[in-house]
Amino acid sequence: MNGFDLTINNLLETAARDNGDQKIVYMGKSVTYNEFYKNALNLSRNLIRIGVRKNDVVAVIDYDSLMYMYAYYSIPMIGSILHTVNIRYPPEIIFYTMQRADDSYIMIDESFMGLIVKNRDYLNFIKGIIVNSAGHRHFDVNIPVYYFDDLLKDSDAKFEEPDENDTATLFFTSGTTGLPKGVSFTHRQLVLHSIASIAALSNEPIKYNINDVIMPLVPMFHVHAWGIPYTSIMNGLKYVLPGKYDVPRILETMATERISMSAMVPTILYMLLSDKNAKQAFQNLNLKVIIGGAALSRGLAERARAYGIDVVSGYGMSETAPILTLGVYNRKVINKSDEEKFEFRLKTGIPIPMVSLRVVNNNRDVENNGKEIGEIIVRAPWLTKGYIKDEEKTRELWKDGWLHTGDLAVVDEYGYVKIVDREKDAIKSGGEFIPSLILEDLISTISGVNEVAVVAKSDDKWGERPVAFINGNLSVEELKLKMMEFVDTGRIAKFWIPDDFIFVNEMPKTSTGKIDKKVLREKLR
């Protein structure tokens, strides 16, 4: 150790040194960076005191809380590994991921302890449970229980700081096909990802800076909350934690705390904009929002713009820590008109620093014409080395030395990538691709459409044909007339028009808030 390794320890120490009086806010209460750093060190020391050791895996089961924020730092700081557990999984999948991760300890909010008590006989691999319980409630488990607030008290326990190449985090993919797959990341990868993300986010129209007040609405169990708990602290922002997601309370907090920046999946943005108090909450906020996890439709972006919200697309995967691209402006587009630049925000974006990204078709880079479709493959310093305990899937992921995303995209003349489909979602009709995301984008602009998802159904003649699921208030006839307008203006080919429009009251969602197309496809069988 030379004291200058790229570790979570040094990230937090320098952040507290440079912005010690800045605040982290949770449920109306706050701690300064200096207080947070002191408490994080105490938590690290007390974790050592109760038996947590280097390379032990500590599972965290909680909403987006202050305890979770401490876990992001304190667990990796002693060379242990933070396992962010997806609380939206069913219990059997939660325990599957915990066993596959080799968890030794659990850090958990008391509201989830019923899950542990009910399944205590299956948790013989757990050595201790750290509970955030204000009243120090007793829990009927045959495992040592410690209380979170006790572990924030002063401790003189010693620990050896980790090496930058030590594993810091692990979690599991959302598992849209088969069981979830585990990925892990080192201290060095997380710090490099943070540095590159800050560099990219500083560009227009985001201009991420020390004056921003950020409240991310990306669950902390999901891909490092897109790295925001690290990038925001490193950059000295005031950080507001939302707790359990509740739309009215989130809108109230946004107004009270004067939130200037957030990040979320399209579903969350749709829910916020649909609330009766949205207009009042967003008034005069000048809010900037990064949208990821799923494509940002034009219809949703235009609704957000009407509320004074600047939206920008971002793209990444569980396997990539996650950020790969952002819809920020490069030198080729920055001097265009505002309306022209708005188009580039809706694209998947340009690679952030230190990301090498190619779109390939038959091992050849596609032409930058916005038309030729290929698969996105990437290299970057922070990509996962592979799937935990799964050599076969790892080989598939890293075929020919590039990480294969499975996302199909085009590249325009300005270098901007736009995803048009997932390989597994692509509709191949009569030997040609019909890009579902382009159809969804256009349908989203039709008045009365709230949410839309386009999937493939089997067809004896064409192989596959598109079907559109719609949440909205309009008729099939209105949809078909509008689709013909898109044909007449050259925006789509006539054979792209979905064969069926199926109305649903609610779209099925994955554990990370994306529309679950697998469920929709099953409805067509």
Side-chain angles (χ1 to χ4, degrees):
M1 286 290 294
N2 58 21
F4 293 96
D5 273 14
L6 301 181
T7 62
I8 301 300
N9 309 53
N10 288 333
L11 186 159
L12 182 56
E13 180 182 358
T14 54
R17 177 200 68 199
D18 296 339
N19 296 287
D21 60 346
Q22 185 57 282
K23 293 180 178 179
I24 301 170
V25 180
Y26 177 57
M27 296 300 179
K29 298 180 180 180
S30 66
V31 294
T32 66
Y33 279 20
N34 277 331
E35 291 167 333
F36 181 82
Y37 180 42
K38 176 179 179 293
N39 289 338
L41 284 174
N42 282 335
L43 178 56
S44 292
R45 295 181 182 117
N46 281 306
L47 288 173
I48 291 290
R49 180 178 58 80
I50 67 173
V52 181
R53 295 293 178 260
K54 183 173 181 176
N55 295 323
D56 278 348
V57 183
V58 182
V60 180
I61 302 176
D62 197 1
Y63 300 111
D64 294 4
S65 70
L66 186 58
M67 181 179 78
Y68 220 139
M69 195 72 163
Y70 280 119
Y72 260 66
Y73 286 91
S74 296
I75 293 168
M77 281 168 61
I78 57 173
S80 300
I81 301 167
L82 167 68
H83 174 198
T84 53
V85 176
N86 188 331
I87 58 176
R88 295 175 186 161
Y89 282 155
E92 61 271 20
I93 300 299
I94 286 177
F95 293 123
Y96 166 82
T97 62
M98 291 175 67
Q99 288 179 315
R100 197 161 181 83
D102 294 323
D103 291 344
S104 296
Y105 291 82
I106 303 171
M107 189 176 290
I108 187 169
D109 186 78
E110 65 177 342
S111 60
F112 291 97
M113 276 301 291
L115 174 72
I116 303 302
V117 171
K118 185 177 180 180
N119 296 279
R120 59 186 178 274
D121 293 339
Y122 302 104
L123 294 172
N124 57 346
F125 55 93
I126 297 297
K127 299 177 182 177
I129 302 175
I130 300 144
V131 186
N132 190 13
S133 173
H136 285 208
R137 288 175 51 203
H138 171 74
F139 299 97
D140 185 16
V141 291
N142 300 319
I143 304 167
V145 172
Y146 309 92
Y147 294 97
F148 173 71
D149 57 354
D150 286 344
L151 302 191
L152 296 183
K153 295 176 181 176
D154 290 343
S155 171
D156 57 3
K158 306 295 183 184
F159 65 88
E160 182 181 341
E161 291 193 6
D163 181 86
E164 63 180 27
N165 294 308
D166 287 341
T167 300
T169 63
L170 67 81
F171 52 84
F172 286 75
T173 64
S174 55
T176 52
T177 56
L179 289 169
K181 299 183 289 292
V183 292
S184 64
F185 301 88
T186 66
H187 285 255
R188 178 181 175 83
Q189 288 178 311
L190 295 177
V191 175
L192 286 173
H193 177 267
S194 299
I195 293 168
S197 298
I198 290 170
L201 289 163
S202 66
N203 291 315
E204 292 188 22
I206 302 175
K207 295 184 288 187
Y208 187 58
N209 66 83
I210 200 169
N211 294 316
D212 277 315
V213 181
I214 191 165
M215 182 169 73
L217 296 174
V218 182
M220 295 184 80
F221 66 72
H222 181 52
V223 204
H224 307 123
W226 300 354
I228 297 171
Y230 297 129
T231 57
S232 297
I233 299 300
M234 179 183 277
N235 218 23
L237 277 66
K238 182 178 179 181
Y239 197 113
V240 181
L241 290 149
K244 184 179 181 180
Y245 290 7
D246 174 81
V247 169
R249 185 171 53 77
I250 285 172
L251 288 172
E252 182 181 350
T253 303
M254 282 184 159
T256 302
E257 296 290 345
R258 306 299 301 165
I259 302 298
S260 65
M261 187 167 178
S262 188
M264 62 194 75
V265 298
T267 302
I268 297 294
L269 179 59
Y270 168 75
M271 292 169 62
L272 294 175
L273 294 176
S274 300
D275 190 87
K276 63 181 180 180
N277 296 317
K279 185 175 182 179
Q280 181 180 354
F282 292 129
Q283 191 172 16
N284 301 321
L285 276 189
N286 298 316
L287 182 65
K288 301 170 288 188
V289 176
I290 300 169
I291 297 293
L296 170 61
S297 71
R298 180 178 302 276
L300 186 61
E302 290 175 348
R303 282 187 66 186
R305 183 162 63 165
Y307 282 85
I309 301 171
D310 281 334
V311 289
V312 175
S313 290
Y315 164 65
M317 305 169 62
S318 295
E319 293 84 347
T320 64
I323 303 177
L324 294 172
T325 69
L326 285 169
V328 293
Y329 305 147
N330 66 12
R331 290 177 60 84
K332 297 177 182 178
V333 306
I334 196 166
N335 292 320
K336 291 181 177 291
S337 70
D338 288 344
E339 198 58 35
E340 287 176 310
K341 286 191 290 190
F342 184 74
E343 298 296 318
F344 291 93
R345 298 187 194 189
L346 304 183
K347 295 178 183 282
T348 305
I350 52 177
I352 71 171
M354 295 191 290
V355 170
S356 178
L357 183 148
R358 299 169 61 201
V359 179
V360 297
N361 182 8
N362 293 323
N363 296 317
R364 174 186 58 81
D365 288 12
V366 302
E367 297 291 333
N368 285 20
N369 57 17
K371 294 179 181 179
E372 187 181 359
I373 297 173
E375 183 193 6
I376 297 174
I377 61 174
V378 291
R379 288 174 175 165
W382 51 79
L383 310 185
T384 188
K385 292 181 179 178
Y387 295 119
I388 294 170
K389 302 176 183 177
D390 196 332
E391 293 182 6
E392 181 181 351
K393 291 294 183 184
T394 296
R395 284 193 296 272
E396 292 176 15
L397 181 70
W398 279 104
K399 181 183 176 183
D400 300 324
W402 289 79
L403 188 147
H404 288 250
T405 68
D407 288 313
L408 302 178
V410 297
V411 186
D412 69 16
E413 61 183 303
Y414 302 99
Y416 282 74
V417 177
K418 183 174 179 61
I419 291 175
V420 296
D421 232 323
R422 287 283 295 166
E423 275 189 328
K424 62 182 177 59
D425 292 336
I427 302 163
K428 198 164 188 179
S429 187
E432 294 188 37
F433 279 121
I434 298 178
S436 66
L437 296 185
I438 292 177
L439 275 179
E440 290 168 0
D441 189 57
L442 287 172
I443 294 171
S444 75
T445 66
I446 299 173
S447 179
V449 173
N450 296 327
E451 292 181 289
V452 55
V454 176
V455 300
K457 72 169 183 178
S458 296
D459 185 272
D460 291 338
K461 181 178 180 180
W462 300 106
E464 292 181 331
R465 290 295 298 152
V467 174
F469 285 85
I470 306 287
N471 175 335
N473 300 305
L474 70 170
S475 66
V476 172
E477 289 72 24
E478 290 174 296
L479 282 165
K480 288 183 175 178
L481 284 172
K482 194 65 180 178
M483 297 305 293
M484 281 306 302
E485 288 182 25
F486 295 144
V487 173
D488 294 340
T489 55
R491 302 182 75 178
I492 61 171
K494 188 174 181 179
F495 82 94
W496 286 20
I497 296 178
D499 282 6
D500 297 299
F501 294 91
I502 300 172
F503 288 87
V504 294
N505 293 326
E506 186 177 357
M507 290 287 187
K509 301 293 195 316
T510 68
S511 62
T512 51
K514 305 174 190 177
I515 294 176
D516 194 337
K517 290 190 174 182
K518 177 170 55 104
V519 174
L520 296 178
R521 283 192 289 267
E522 288 171 354
K523 291 178 181 290
L524 299 175
R525 291 180 180 174

